[in-house]
mmCIF file of all heavy atoms in Angstrom:
data_model
loop_
_atom_site.group_PDB
_atom_site.id
_atom_site.type_symbol
_atom_site.label_atom_id
_atom_site.label_comp_id
_atom_site.label_asym_id
_atom_site.label_seq_id
_atom_site.Cartn_x
_atom_site.Cartn_y
_atom_site.Cartn_z
ATOM 1 N N GLY A 216 9.206 -5.800 0.567
ATOM 2 C CA GLY A 216 8.394 -6.320 -0.496
ATOM 3 C C GLY A 216 7.074 -5.588 -0.725
ATOM 4 O O GLY A 216 6.069 -6.139 -1.235
ATOM 5 N N ALA A 217 7.038 -4.311 -0.347
ATOM 6 C CA ALA A 217 5.810 -3.523 -0.479
ATOM 7 C C ALA A 217 5.718 -2.918 -1.877
ATOM 8 O O ALA A 217 6.728 -2.539 -2.490
ATOM 9 C CB ALA A 217 5.784 -2.394 0.579
ATOM 10 N N LEU A 218 4.503 -2.724 -2.281
ATOM 11 C CA LEU A 218 4.162 -2.048 -3.573
ATOM 12 C C LEU A 218 4.174 -0.572 -3.294
ATOM 13 O O LEU A 218 3.614 -0.082 -2.298
ATOM 14 C CB LEU A 218 2.783 -2.525 -4.036
ATOM 15 C CG LEU A 218 2.355 -2.282 -5.469
ATOM 16 C CD1 LEU A 218 3.221 -3.152 -6.423
ATOM 17 C CD2 LEU A 218 0.934 -2.613 -5.679
ATOM 18 N N VAL A 219 4.723 0.222 -4.217
ATOM 19 C CA VAL A 219 4.773 1.654 -4.058
ATOM 20 C C VAL A 219 3.871 2.304 -5.059
ATOM 21 O O VAL A 219 4.030 2.135 -6.306
ATOM 22 C CB VAL A 219 6.213 2.243 -4.227
ATOM 23 C CG1 VAL A 219 6.209 3.718 -4.064
ATOM 24 C CG2 VAL A 219 7.152 1.558 -3.251
ATOM 25 N N ILE A 220 2.878 3.033 -4.571
ATOM 26 C CA ILE A 220 1.908 3.779 -5.438
ATOM 27 C C ILE A 220 2.122 5.214 -5.141
ATOM 28 O O ILE A 220 2.099 5.717 -4.038
ATOM 29 C CB ILE A 220 0.498 3.345 -5.125
ATOM 30 C CG1 ILE A 220 0.280 1.843 -5.336
ATOM 31 C CG2 ILE A 220 -0.510 4.160 -5.972
ATOM 32 C CD1 ILE A 220 -1.117 1.301 -4.957
ATOM 33 N N VAL A 221 2.216 6.053 -6.211
ATOM 34 C CA VAL A 221 2.434 7.474 -6.082
ATOM 35 C C VAL A 221 1.362 8.264 -6.895
ATOM 36 O O VAL A 221 1.195 8.034 -8.078
ATOM 37 C CB VAL A 221 3.863 7.944 -6.635
ATOM 38 C CG1 VAL A 221 4.039 9.436 -6.532
ATOM 39 C CG2 VAL A 221 4.914 7.240 -5.816
ATOM 40 N N ASP A 222 0.697 9.192 -6.233
ATOM 41 C CA ASP A 222 -0.253 10.091 -6.842
ATOM 42 C C ASP A 222 0.593 11.182 -7.437
ATOM 43 O O ASP A 222 1.171 12.026 -6.719
ATOM 44 C CB ASP A 222 -1.274 10.597 -5.840
ATOM 45 C CG ASP A 222 -2.342 11.464 -6.457
ATOM 46 O OD1 ASP A 222 -2.147 12.033 -7.506
ATOM 47 O OD2 ASP A 222 -3.436 11.580 -5.830
ATOM 48 N N ASN A 223 0.595 11.336 -8.735
ATOM 49 C CA ASN A 223 1.402 12.286 -9.522
ATOM 50 C C ASN A 223 0.552 13.402 -10.072
ATOM 51 O O ASN A 223 1.018 14.109 -10.943
ATOM 52 C CB ASN A 223 2.175 11.571 -10.661
ATOM 53 C CG ASN A 223 3.410 12.337 -11.067
ATOM 54 O OD1 ASN A 223 4.102 12.952 -10.292
ATOM 55 N ND2 ASN A 223 3.778 12.170 -12.341
ATOM 56 N N THR A 224 -0.650 13.593 -9.582
ATOM 57 C CA THR A 224 -1.605 14.560 -10.180
ATOM 58 C C THR A 224 -1.057 15.983 -10.137
ATOM 59 O O THR A 224 -1.072 16.648 -11.146
ATOM 60 C CB THR A 224 -2.895 14.574 -9.374
ATOM 61 O OG1 THR A 224 -3.506 13.226 -9.454
ATOM 62 C CG2 THR A 224 -3.917 15.505 -9.950
ATOM 63 N N PHE A 225 -0.515 16.413 -9.022
ATOM 64 C CA PHE A 225 -0.002 17.824 -8.937
ATOM 65 C C PHE A 225 1.258 18.026 -9.766
ATOM 66 O O PHE A 225 1.421 19.072 -10.353
ATOM 67 C CB PHE A 225 0.329 18.137 -7.462
ATOM 68 C CG PHE A 225 -0.821 18.808 -6.744
ATOM 69 C CD1 PHE A 225 -2.138 18.567 -7.047
ATOM 70 C CD2 PHE A 225 -0.564 19.737 -5.707
ATOM 71 C CE1 PHE A 225 -3.152 19.174 -6.361
ATOM 72 C CE2 PHE A 225 -1.597 20.337 -4.997
ATOM 73 C CZ PHE A 225 -2.859 20.096 -5.351
ATOM 74 N N ALA A 226 2.101 17.043 -9.836
ATOM 75 C CA ALA A 226 3.372 17.207 -10.621
ATOM 76 C C ALA A 226 3.231 17.024 -12.070
ATOM 77 O O ALA A 226 3.824 17.802 -12.834
ATOM 78 C CB ALA A 226 4.418 16.228 -10.094
ATOM 79 N N THR A 227 2.382 16.076 -12.516
ATOM 80 C CA THR A 227 2.193 15.686 -13.917
ATOM 81 C C THR A 227 3.480 15.023 -14.467
ATOM 82 O O THR A 227 4.542 15.230 -13.879
ATOM 83 C CB THR A 227 1.827 16.876 -14.854
ATOM 84 O OG1 THR A 227 3.027 17.586 -15.179
ATOM 85 C CG2 THR A 227 0.826 17.812 -14.245
ATOM 86 N N PRO A 228 3.352 14.232 -15.525
ATOM 87 C CA PRO A 228 4.510 13.594 -16.128
ATOM 88 C C PRO A 228 5.452 14.598 -16.795
ATOM 89 O O PRO A 228 6.550 14.196 -17.263
ATOM 90 C CB PRO A 228 3.926 12.624 -17.158
ATOM 91 C CG PRO A 228 2.533 13.153 -17.403
ATOM 92 C CD PRO A 228 2.092 13.758 -16.159
ATOM 93 N N ILE A 229 5.053 15.814 -16.906
ATOM 94 C CA ILE A 229 5.994 16.833 -17.445
ATOM 95 C C ILE A 229 7.081 17.190 -16.418
ATOM 96 O O ILE A 229 8.211 17.397 -16.809
ATOM 97 C CB ILE A 229 5.211 18.124 -17.904
ATOM 98 C CG1 ILE A 229 4.116 17.803 -18.887
ATOM 99 C CG2 ILE A 229 6.145 19.201 -18.464
ATOM 100 C CD1 ILE A 229 4.622 17.109 -20.170
ATOM 101 N N ASN A 230 6.681 17.236 -15.148
ATOM 102 C CA ASN A 230 7.611 17.641 -14.117
ATOM 103 C C ASN A 230 8.233 16.467 -13.353
ATOM 104 O O ASN A 230 9.343 16.669 -12.774
ATOM 105 C CB ASN A 230 6.890 18.495 -13.119
ATOM 106 C CG ASN A 230 6.452 19.879 -13.673
ATOM 107 O OD1 ASN A 230 7.096 20.384 -14.633
ATOM 108 N ND2 ASN A 230 5.342 20.436 -13.162
ATOM 109 N N GLN A 231 7.640 15.372 -13.251
ATOM 110 C CA GLN A 231 8.097 14.257 -12.395
ATOM 111 C C GLN A 231 7.677 12.902 -12.900
ATOM 112 O O GLN A 231 6.648 12.718 -13.386
ATOM 113 C CB GLN A 231 7.427 14.517 -10.991
ATOM 114 C CG GLN A 231 7.789 13.492 -9.963
ATOM 115 C CD GLN A 231 7.256 13.940 -8.582
ATOM 116 O OE1 GLN A 231 7.886 14.591 -7.832
ATOM 117 N NE2 GLN A 231 5.978 13.571 -8.265
ATOM 118 N N HIS A 232 8.635 11.935 -12.787
ATOM 119 C CA HIS A 232 8.441 10.566 -13.248
ATOM 120 C C HIS A 232 8.672 9.578 -12.060
ATOM 121 O O HIS A 232 9.741 9.045 -11.868
ATOM 122 C CB HIS A 232 9.304 10.222 -14.406
ATOM 123 C CG HIS A 232 8.861 10.816 -15.712
ATOM 124 N ND1 HIS A 232 9.512 11.814 -16.284
ATOM 125 C CD2 HIS A 232 7.797 10.512 -16.523
ATOM 126 C CE1 HIS A 232 8.881 12.146 -17.421
ATOM 127 N NE2 HIS A 232 7.847 11.358 -17.531
ATOM 128 N N PRO A 233 7.616 9.322 -11.239
ATOM 129 C CA PRO A 233 7.796 8.420 -10.114
ATOM 130 C C PRO A 233 8.289 7.037 -10.448
ATOM 131 O O PRO A 233 9.000 6.388 -9.683
ATOM 132 C CB PRO A 233 6.365 8.351 -9.525
ATOM 133 C CG PRO A 233 5.771 9.706 -9.898
ATOM 134 C CD PRO A 233 6.281 9.932 -11.281
ATOM 135 N N LEU A 234 7.906 6.521 -11.608
ATOM 136 C CA LEU A 234 8.326 5.122 -12.014
ATOM 137 C C LEU A 234 9.872 5.049 -12.117
ATOM 138 O O LEU A 234 10.472 4.012 -11.769
ATOM 139 C CB LEU A 234 7.670 4.692 -13.285
ATOM 140 C CG LEU A 234 6.162 4.556 -13.261
ATOM 141 C CD1 LEU A 234 5.651 4.171 -14.639
ATOM 142 C CD2 LEU A 234 5.662 3.642 -12.181
ATOM 143 N N THR A 235 10.506 6.078 -12.594
ATOM 144 C CA THR A 235 11.950 6.061 -12.724
ATOM 145 C C THR A 235 12.662 6.250 -11.358
ATOM 146 O O THR A 235 13.862 5.979 -11.228
ATOM 147 C CB THR A 235 12.459 7.196 -13.631
ATOM 148 O OG1 THR A 235 12.151 8.440 -13.118
ATOM 149 C CG2 THR A 235 11.741 7.053 -15.037
ATOM 150 N N LEU A 236 11.873 6.631 -10.378
ATOM 151 C CA LEU A 236 12.410 6.855 -9.025
ATOM 152 C C LEU A 236 12.132 5.694 -8.105
ATOM 153 O O LEU A 236 12.420 5.681 -6.945
ATOM 154 C CB LEU A 236 11.819 8.155 -8.386
ATOM 155 C CG LEU A 236 12.085 9.459 -9.092
ATOM 156 C CD1 LEU A 236 11.214 10.566 -8.585
ATOM 157 C CD2 LEU A 236 13.586 9.808 -8.961
ATOM 158 N N GLY A 237 11.520 4.637 -8.659
ATOM 159 C CA GLY A 237 11.324 3.408 -7.835
ATOM 160 C C GLY A 237 9.842 3.073 -7.606
ATOM 161 O O GLY A 237 9.615 2.000 -6.977
ATOM 162 N N ALA A 238 8.895 3.885 -7.926
ATOM 163 C CA ALA A 238 7.485 3.541 -7.766
ATOM 164 C C ALA A 238 7.055 2.418 -8.699
ATOM 165 O O ALA A 238 7.684 2.235 -9.742
ATOM 166 C CB ALA A 238 6.650 4.776 -7.988
ATOM 167 N N ASP A 239 6.061 1.670 -8.232
ATOM 168 C CA ASP A 239 5.566 0.572 -9.028
ATOM 169 C C ASP A 239 4.287 1.027 -9.913
ATOM 170 O O ASP A 239 4.095 0.558 -11.006
ATOM 171 C CB ASP A 239 5.078 -0.576 -8.152
ATOM 172 C CG ASP A 239 6.260 -1.164 -7.389
ATOM 173 O OD1 ASP A 239 7.152 -1.738 -8.056
ATOM 174 O OD2 ASP A 239 6.302 -1.041 -6.164
ATOM 175 N N ILE A 240 3.534 1.911 -9.349
ATOM 176 C CA ILE A 240 2.307 2.402 -9.989
ATOM 177 C C ILE A 240 2.310 3.926 -9.771
ATOM 178 O O ILE A 240 2.499 4.442 -8.627
ATOM 179 C CB ILE A 240 1.005 1.777 -9.473
ATOM 180 C CG1 ILE A 240 0.952 0.319 -9.836
ATOM 181 C CG2 ILE A 240 -0.196 2.534 -9.927
ATOM 182 C CD1 ILE A 240 -0.226 -0.427 -9.245
ATOM 183 N N VAL A 241 1.965 4.698 -10.861
ATOM 184 C CA VAL A 241 1.766 6.124 -10.802
ATOM 185 C C VAL A 241 0.329 6.362 -11.158
ATOM 186 O O VAL A 241 -0.157 5.738 -12.155
ATOM 187 C CB VAL A 241 2.796 6.870 -11.601
ATOM 188 C CG1 VAL A 241 2.711 6.433 -13.083
ATOM 189 C CG2 VAL A 241 2.548 8.359 -11.552
ATOM 190 N N LEU A 242 -0.362 7.236 -10.476
ATOM 191 C CA LEU A 242 -1.718 7.523 -10.799
ATOM 192 C C LEU A 242 -2.030 9.021 -10.921
ATOM 193 O O LEU A 242 -1.207 9.846 -10.399
ATOM 194 C CB LEU A 242 -2.672 6.838 -9.794
ATOM 195 C CG LEU A 242 -2.705 7.294 -8.367
ATOM 196 C CD1 LEU A 242 -3.532 8.544 -8.126
ATOM 197 C CD2 LEU A 242 -3.145 6.199 -7.479
ATOM 198 N N HIS A 243 -3.096 9.349 -11.641
ATOM 199 C CA HIS A 243 -3.497 10.725 -11.882
ATOM 200 C C HIS A 243 -4.968 10.838 -11.755
ATOM 201 O O HIS A 243 -5.756 9.941 -12.216
ATOM 202 C CB HIS A 243 -3.089 11.178 -13.249
ATOM 203 C CG HIS A 243 -1.643 11.272 -13.507
ATOM 204 N ND1 HIS A 243 -0.926 12.474 -13.313
ATOM 205 C CD2 HIS A 243 -0.716 10.393 -13.997
ATOM 206 C CE1 HIS A 243 0.332 12.240 -13.653
ATOM 207 N NE2 HIS A 243 0.424 11.003 -14.043
ATOM 208 N N SER A 244 -5.398 11.928 -11.188
ATOM 209 C CA SER A 244 -6.791 12.396 -11.479
ATOM 210 C C SER A 244 -6.667 13.162 -12.833
ATOM 211 O O SER A 244 -6.219 14.309 -12.888
ATOM 212 C CB SER A 244 -7.302 13.325 -10.388
ATOM 213 O OG SER A 244 -8.515 13.938 -10.755
ATOM 214 N N ALA A 245 -7.084 12.488 -13.883
ATOM 215 C CA ALA A 245 -6.928 13.070 -15.254
ATOM 216 C C ALA A 245 -7.834 14.293 -15.430
ATOM 217 O O ALA A 245 -7.659 15.081 -16.359
ATOM 218 C CB ALA A 245 -7.240 12.051 -16.303
ATOM 219 N N SER A 246 -8.829 14.475 -14.509
ATOM 220 C CA SER A 246 -9.700 15.623 -14.581
ATOM 221 C C SER A 246 -8.958 16.955 -14.402
ATOM 222 O O SER A 246 -9.443 17.996 -14.734
ATOM 223 C CB SER A 246 -10.773 15.536 -13.435
ATOM 224 O OG SER A 246 -11.232 14.152 -13.291
ATOM 225 N N LYS A 247 -7.764 16.825 -13.806
ATOM 226 C CA LYS A 247 -7.005 18.017 -13.445
ATOM 227 C C LYS A 247 -6.050 18.440 -14.598
ATOM 228 O O LYS A 247 -6.507 18.853 -15.625
ATOM 229 C CB LYS A 247 -6.229 17.757 -12.154
ATOM 230 C CG LYS A 247 -7.045 17.163 -10.994
ATOM 231 C CD LYS A 247 -8.215 18.015 -10.619
ATOM 232 C CE LYS A 247 -8.939 17.629 -9.351
ATOM 233 N NZ LYS A 247 -9.571 16.333 -9.438
ATOM 234 N N TYR A 248 -4.734 18.337 -14.396
ATOM 235 C CA TYR A 248 -3.788 18.826 -15.344
ATOM 236 C C TYR A 248 -3.830 18.062 -16.667
ATOM 237 O O TYR A 248 -3.590 18.705 -17.737
ATOM 238 C CB TYR A 248 -2.413 18.821 -14.787
ATOM 239 C CG TYR A 248 -2.128 19.910 -13.817
ATOM 240 C CD1 TYR A 248 -2.044 19.600 -12.449
ATOM 241 C CD2 TYR A 248 -1.914 21.212 -14.241
ATOM 242 C CE1 TYR A 248 -1.845 20.664 -11.523
ATOM 243 C CE2 TYR A 248 -1.663 22.231 -13.330
ATOM 244 C CZ TYR A 248 -1.611 21.946 -12.011
ATOM 245 O OH TYR A 248 -1.380 22.947 -11.084
ATOM 246 N N LEU A 249 -4.012 16.776 -16.693
ATOM 247 C CA LEU A 249 -3.960 16.040 -17.932
ATOM 248 C C LEU A 249 -4.991 16.575 -18.969
ATOM 249 O O LEU A 249 -4.644 16.929 -20.030
ATOM 250 C CB LEU A 249 -4.170 14.566 -17.676
ATOM 251 C CG LEU A 249 -3.073 13.844 -16.884
ATOM 252 C CD1 LEU A 249 -3.287 12.314 -16.913
ATOM 253 C CD2 LEU A 249 -1.674 14.188 -17.438
ATOM 254 N N GLY A 250 -6.250 16.678 -18.476
ATOM 255 C CA GLY A 250 -7.246 17.225 -19.384
ATOM 256 C C GLY A 250 -7.083 18.720 -19.523
ATOM 257 O O GLY A 250 -7.150 19.281 -20.639
ATOM 258 N N GLY A 251 -6.965 19.363 -18.360
ATOM 259 C CA GLY A 251 -6.541 20.780 -18.426
ATOM 260 C C GLY A 251 -7.689 21.829 -18.697
ATOM 261 O O GLY A 251 -7.388 23.027 -18.742
ATOM 262 N N HIS A 252 -8.871 21.368 -19.006
ATOM 263 C CA HIS A 252 -9.927 22.315 -19.367
ATOM 264 C C HIS A 252 -11.177 22.157 -18.532
ATOM 265 O O HIS A 252 -12.202 22.774 -18.874
ATOM 266 C CB HIS A 252 -10.271 22.109 -20.883
ATOM 267 C CG HIS A 252 -9.197 22.526 -21.758
ATOM 268 N ND1 HIS A 252 -8.018 21.768 -21.981
ATOM 269 C CD2 HIS A 252 -9.001 23.708 -22.512
ATOM 270 C CE1 HIS A 252 -7.228 22.429 -22.847
ATOM 271 N NE2 HIS A 252 -7.795 23.551 -23.142
ATOM 272 N N ALA A 253 -11.163 21.391 -17.433
ATOM 273 C CA ALA A 253 -12.246 21.303 -16.520
ATOM 274 C C ALA A 253 -13.513 20.833 -17.161
ATOM 275 O O ALA A 253 -14.640 21.256 -16.811
ATOM 276 C CB ALA A 253 -12.490 22.611 -15.759
ATOM 277 N N ASP A 254 -13.400 20.019 -18.235
ATOM 278 C CA ASP A 254 -14.643 19.567 -18.911
ATOM 279 C C ASP A 254 -14.716 18.032 -19.027
ATOM 280 O O ASP A 254 -15.573 17.534 -19.748
ATOM 281 C CB ASP A 254 -14.728 20.201 -20.288
ATOM 282 C CG ASP A 254 -13.490 19.858 -21.159
ATOM 283 O OD1 ASP A 254 -12.630 19.167 -20.701
ATOM 284 O OD2 ASP A 254 -13.416 20.327 -22.321
ATOM 285 N N ALA A 255 -13.899 17.323 -18.264
ATOM 286 C CA ALA A 255 -13.937 15.843 -18.376
ATOM 287 C C ALA A 255 -13.446 15.244 -17.035
ATOM 288 O O ALA A 255 -12.431 15.637 -16.553
ATOM 289 C CB ALA A 255 -13.129 15.330 -19.561
#
């Protein structure tokens, strides 16, 4: 009955989808690949 949280920052949703693999919550440091320009 445990909650599964996966940090997907390195993989990004382009390469990996933890929710489809059984995770309950996926998280990102959006400062990294999502933003991609080191300005936010």
Side-chain angles (χ1 to χ4, degrees):
L218 196 69
V219 180
I220 301 175
V221 177
D222 185 336
N223 202 32
T224 299
F225 266 30
T227 81
I229 303 303
N230 293 331
Q231 179 173 269
H232 284 107
L234 297 179
T235 66
L236 297 169
D239 297 295
I240 291 176
V241 57
L242 64 84
H243 293 269
S244 171
S246 321
K247 311 302 190 298
Y248 284 105
L249 294 188
H252 291 76
D254 58 1

